[in-house]
């Protein structure tokens, strides 16, 4: 760990791995238990509160998967084609009469199977002879082109699991089961502050020594994507007592407090001391770049996360620390984003013992493989580096260098939020 000595010197103790830090905070967080009913049109993105058992099978009745002709499998020709007189016709949405023995029934996609039949010939595979009979070829398997009742989901099975972050396809399944709404966890309430004398809110006048606050808007947008109800609490100035008071007040009304800036150990970084004075700091620095330091704590029973001020560090630590915390608070099953293997199109050296994220664009190589092209500049303050890239390459703690052509794990921004 000798290579970490400068970090240890700067921040006064060993660094904690991202997984360890997230494990600690997620274990301390209690999911909100209030449940609310939402209509299906409001359900996308919400966290399902209870398992949903299927009140009916899907499909609800056995039906034809194609337009064609239905027969009993006992009548299927084995070696030579065979002709059947036609009788009966059943359309989707209409009841089927039982089939007349020895006859083929005209049937359409989605129509219920007539009693006595279990197999459908596609209309493309038959011909009609001069006598108006359906001539079917040999070789079709019994039960072909039929969708059995319950083959998708059996009645009583758990169709949607508690803790699912609902997606359009989950909402579709609920609708197919005839449900009009779902019970979901209430949205978690998150207070967001920026900190720093150097910040001006967009829309206010900016002193020459100030920059417009961008992190607060980025963080609020990310939180909303995660389904949170966000309170925009503006900018806290670098003033310990006022900062502590504001955090304490916010704690009473929120499920999570998020700040950006002021978590380093400079004399004007007051967040750590502020949290300490009204709550407790549970951990402090993480082995992540860009990112470290990240502060976490509890104020009046409410979890607190203090992200760094540099925009890229703020973004990366949000994704890896705030996102799992928010999901745990909302009772969501934790799904770690899966890194896709791609070829590095860059050389990179890093310290062992910490995780690093490299901003990259993806490009398809001549051989069809995807390769990751590193954004040319590395500064943690460069917003353009997030705007102009597709995602992050994740380099684990054990990696110390990357050579061109090597496989690395890519996390697209869309998958991270
Ligand atoms: P700090 O973590 O407070 O030391 O801030 C590090 C750097 O991040 C500062 O020099 C600012 O330029 C930048 N920064 C801090 N907060 C914000 C913010 N809310 N929006 C944009 N940049 C910020
Ligand atoms: Mg600051």
């Amino acid at each position: 760990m000798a290579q970490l000595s400068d970090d240890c010197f700067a921040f006064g103790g060993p660094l904690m791995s991202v997984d360890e830090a997230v494990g600690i905070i997620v274990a301390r967080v209690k999911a909100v238990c209030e449940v609310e009913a939402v209509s299906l049109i409001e359900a996308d993105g919400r966290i399902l509160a209870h398992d949903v058992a299927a009140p009916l099978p899907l499909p609800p009745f056995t039906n034809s998967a194609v337009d064609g002709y239905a027969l009993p499998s006992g009548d299927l020709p084995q070696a030579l084609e065979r002709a059947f007189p036609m009788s009966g016709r059943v359309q989707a949405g209409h009841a089927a009469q039982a089939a007349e023995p020895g006859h083929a029934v005209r049937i359409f996609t989605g129509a219920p199977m007539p009693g006595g039949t279990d197999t459908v010939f596609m209309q493309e595979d038959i011909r009609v002879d001069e006598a108006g009979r359906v001539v079917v070829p040999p070789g079709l398997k019994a039960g072909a082109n039929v969708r059995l009742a319950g083959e998708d989901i059996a009645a009583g099975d758990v169709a949607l699991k508690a803790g699912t972050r609902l997606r359009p396809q989950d909402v579709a399944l609920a609708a197919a089961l005839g449900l009009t709404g779902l019970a979901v966890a209430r949205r978690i309430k998150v207070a967001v502050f920026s900190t720093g004398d150097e910040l001006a809110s967009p829309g206010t006048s900016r002193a020459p020594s100030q920059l417009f606050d961008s992190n607060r808007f980025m963080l609020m947008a990310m939180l909303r994507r995660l389904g949170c109800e966000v309170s925009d609490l503006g900018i806290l100035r670098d003033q310990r007592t006022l900062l502590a008071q504001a955090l304490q007040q916010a704690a009473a009304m929120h499920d999570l407090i998020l700040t950006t800036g002021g978590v380093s150990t400079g004399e004007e970084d007051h967040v750590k001391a502020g949290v300490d004075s009204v709550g407790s700091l549970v951990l402090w620095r993480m082995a992540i770049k860009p990112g470290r330091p990240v502060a976490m704590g509890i104020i009046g029973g409410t979890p607190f996360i203090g992200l760094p001020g540099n925009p890229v560090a703020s973004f990366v630590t949000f994704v890896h620390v705030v996102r799992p915390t928010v999901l745990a608070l909302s009772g969501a099953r934790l799904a770690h984003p899966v890194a896709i293997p791609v070829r590095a199109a860059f050389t990179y050296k890093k310290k062992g013992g910490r995780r690093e994220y490299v901003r990259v664009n993806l490009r398809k190589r001549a051989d069809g493989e995807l390769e990751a092209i590193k954004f040319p500049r590395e500064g943690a303050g460069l917003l353009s580096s997030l705007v102009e890239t597709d995602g992050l390459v994740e380099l684990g703690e054990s990696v110390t260098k990357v050579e061109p052509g090597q496989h690395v794990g890519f996390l697209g921004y869309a998958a991270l939020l």
Side-chain angles (χ1 to χ4, degrees):
M1 298 288 271
Q3 71 270 37
L4 293 181
S5 60
D6 57 345
D7 303 332
C8 297
F9 182 74
F11 297 105
L15 295 175
M16 186 172 277
S17 79
V18 181
D19 288 341
E20 195 182 350
V22 170
I24 288 173
I25 190 146
V26 165
R28 282 181 179 233
V29 150
K30 269 231 308 278
V32 298
C33 44
E34 296 98 316
V35 170
E36 61 194 35
V38 290
S39 67
L40 292 190
I41 198 163
E42 301 295 334
D44 185 43
R46 302 299 299 269
I47 311 297
L48 190 64
H50 312 299
D51 284 351
V52 173
L56 54 119
L58 289 182
F61 55 91
T62 298
N63 65 88
S64 177
V66 297
D67 290 340
Y69 296 84
L71 282 167
S73 50
D75 283 355
L76 299 184
Q78 298 307 314
L80 298 171
E81 63 177 24
R82 191 170 157 191
F84 294 87
M86 251 186 277
S87 126
R89 185 174 190 279
V90 51
Q91 256 171 270
H94 295 264
Q97 307 280 337
E100 232 181 287
H103 289 239
V105 182
R106 180 69 169 129
I107 194 165
F108 297 92
T109 306
M113 292 296 288
T117 71
D118 60 5
T119 304
V120 180
F121 282 87
M122 286 173 74
Q123 61 190 22
E124 293 85 342
D125 293 342
I126 64 101
R127 65 186 169 82
V128 178
D129 69 11
E130 324 70 63
R133 295 176 311 171
V134 183
V135 182
V136 306
L140 193 68
K141 278 217 206 82
N145 300 318
V146 170
R147 305 186 282 218
L148 296 176
E151 73 173 23
D152 189 0
I153 291 179
D157 276 3
V158 172
L160 294 168
K161 293 195 189 71
T164 299
R165 194 172 158 203
L166 296 165
R167 304 161 298 171
Q169 56 267 48
D170 301 312
V171 177
L173 180 47
L177 295 173
L179 305 177
T180 55
L182 288 166
V184 299
R186 75 155 164 82
R187 291 186 189 279
I188 72 157
K189 298 186 184 117
V190 185
V192 181
F193 295 99
S194 293
T195 74
D197 287 353
E198 78 275 33
L199 302 175
S201 264
T204 66
S205 66
R206 182 186 65 83
S209 58
Q210 287 187 310
L211 45 92
F212 285 121
D213 176 4
S214 56
N215 289 357
R216 188 158 39 101
F217 297 92
M218 175 177 75
L219 297 174
M220 292 194 296
M222 295 205 278
L223 287 165
R224 289 176 66 132
R225 285 206 180 189
L226 291 176
C228 300
E229 194 179 304
V230 179
S231 303
D232 176 5
L233 296 182
I235 300 167
L236 295 173
R237 297 305 170 192
D238 290 320
Q239 217 280 1
R240 183 165 314 180
T241 324
L242 289 179
L243 191 144
Q245 272 171 10
L247 295 179
Q248 193 169 31
Q249 265 177 20
M253 291 172 303
H254 295 90
D255 302 303
L256 174 68
I257 302 171
L258 189 60
T259 65
T260 164
V263 290
S264 262
T265 47
E267 280 156 53
E268 294 303 332
D269 290 316
H270 299 294
V271 171
K272 185 190 172 204
V275 173
D276 249 342
S277 71
V278 289
S280 64
L281 217 60
V282 288
L283 56 88
W284 171 223
R285 293 149 317 96
M286 287 177 17
I288 181 171
K289 186 188 171 186
R292 143 231 88 142
V294 174
M296 302 184 193
I298 306 281
I299 302 170
T302 301
F304 158 85
I305 301 178
L307 300 180
N310 277 309
V312 181
S314 206
F315 183 92
V316 167
T317 50
F318 180 95
V319 161
H320 296 285
V321 181
V322 179
R323 179 182 183 276
T325 306
V326 163
L327 292 178
L329 276 168
S330 359
R333 273 178 291 123
L334 266 195
H336 293 286
V338 179
I340 299 164
V342 300
R343 301 282 188 180
F346 56 87
T347 306
Y348 195 81
K349 285 201 170 59
K350 71 179 268 296
K351 289 179 178 179
R354 80 177 175 204
R355 197 185 284 181
E356 295 197 15
Y357 291 93
V358 181
R359 288 146 271 168
V360 299
N361 279 299
L362 283 190
R363 183 172 67 191
K364 207 168 197 172
R365 304 199 307 190
D367 65 3
E369 280 212 65
L370 289 176
E371 68 180 354
I373 295 129
K374 184 176 165 297
F375 190 76
R377 289 170 299 146
E378 284 180 15
L382 303 171
L383 269 176
S384 60
S385 70
L386 289 176
V387 169
E388 290 169 22
T389 53
D390 297 320
L392 304 170
V393 159
E394 180 174 68
L395 302 174
E397 284 81 355
S398 62
V399 176
T400 54
K401 69 166 187 248
V402 176
E403 303 283 6
Q406 192 178 320
H407 269 124
V408 289
F410 169 81
L411 296 162
Y413 294 134
L416 291 175
L417 298 165

